[in-house]
Amino acid sequence: MPDINIIEGKLNAAGLKFTIVATRFNDFIVDRLVGGAVDYLVRHNCNREDITIVRIPGAFEMPVVCQKIAERGQCDAIIALGAVIRGSTPHFDFVANEASKGLAQVSLSHNMPVGFGLLTTDNLEQAIERAGSKAGNKGVEAAAAVLETVRVMEQL
Ligand code: INI
């Protein structure tokens, strides 16, 4: 009997180019996500010169910036890193919803993996927990997810 075909991504970033899009808003949190993502990529053989970091004002600006990056096609994947904290804004829902919808749209319309490293939390404590303490580091998770996705998509 023929065996099952399994397609899965090897976690080797050698030769791949990544663009990290990171917000200045809540930068003391976001910088930890950026650090985690860069560290993950480098530990998985990515050359430092193949990582570009683009700084933008806030999460609301993520989709349009990622769209431009995806259109240019000079990288293999984008990693979007930011933090929207409910306590600090009455327009939390608008910012968080538009950013997440927009990123999904960019990813689909350009066939490019976009790592969703946008923290959406009720308060600062929860954001800190997800930026390298109790609940891990969402920047690392976003980097790991796009690396695996790029390697899977290469085989499809
Ligand atoms: N942007 C964020 O990235 N996180 C937030 O928590 C946030 N809050 O609290 O408002 C936020 N707002 C700014 C927004 O993303 C835009 O930059 C701004 O509205 C200008 O377009």
Side-chain angles (χ1 to χ4, degrees):
M1 200 161 64
D3 209 347
I4 295 169
N5 293 308
I6 296 176
I7 294 174
E8 56 186 2
K10 291 220 163 38
L11 299 181
N12 182 5
L16 295 178
K17 291 187 184 351
F18 296 87
T19 302
I20 294 174
V21 175
T23 64
R24 292 188 195 287
F25 210 106
N26 292 324
D27 61 353
F28 62 106
I29 296 286
V30 177
D31 286 351
R32 292 165 186 231
L33 303 178
V34 172
V38 169
D39 182 60
Y40 179 89
L41 295 174
V42 170
R43 281 190 295 111
H44 288 79
N45 306 321
C46 187
N47 294 317
R48 291 184 72 83
E49 62 267 28
D50 288 333
I51 301 173
T52 300
I53 299 176
V54 179
R55 284 282 184 183
I56 62 166
F60 194 79
E61 285 70 40
M62 279 177 162
V64 71
V65 174
C66 290
Q67 179 166 264
K68 179 80 192 271
I69 294 164
E71 258 166 29
R72 289 185 72 202
Q74 290 181 346
C75 61
D76 298 286
I78 298 171
I79 301 167
L81 303 177
V84 192
I85 301 173
R86 189 182 289 275
S88 63
T89 174
H91 61 289
F92 171 95
D93 292 307
F94 297 108
V95 174
N97 288 342
E98 291 311 310
S100 53
K101 266 193 295 176
L103 290 176
Q105 197 181 315
V106 169
S107 182
L108 289 175
S109 56
H110 293 278
N111 249 337
M112 180 177 283
V114 177
F116 186 68
L118 177 64
L119 301 179
T120 53
T121 63
D122 286 332
N123 53 51
L124 188 56
E125 193 187 350
Q126 288 175 353
I128 292 169
E129 282 174 9
R130 290 159 178 73
S133 57
K134 272 196 246 169
N137 184 318
K138 295 294 168 195
V140 172
E141 287 177 27
V146 289
L147 171 55
E148 188 172 351
T149 306
V150 169
R151 291 307 192 195
V152 166
M153 288 176 69
E154 284 173 343
Q155 301 173 67
L156 299 175

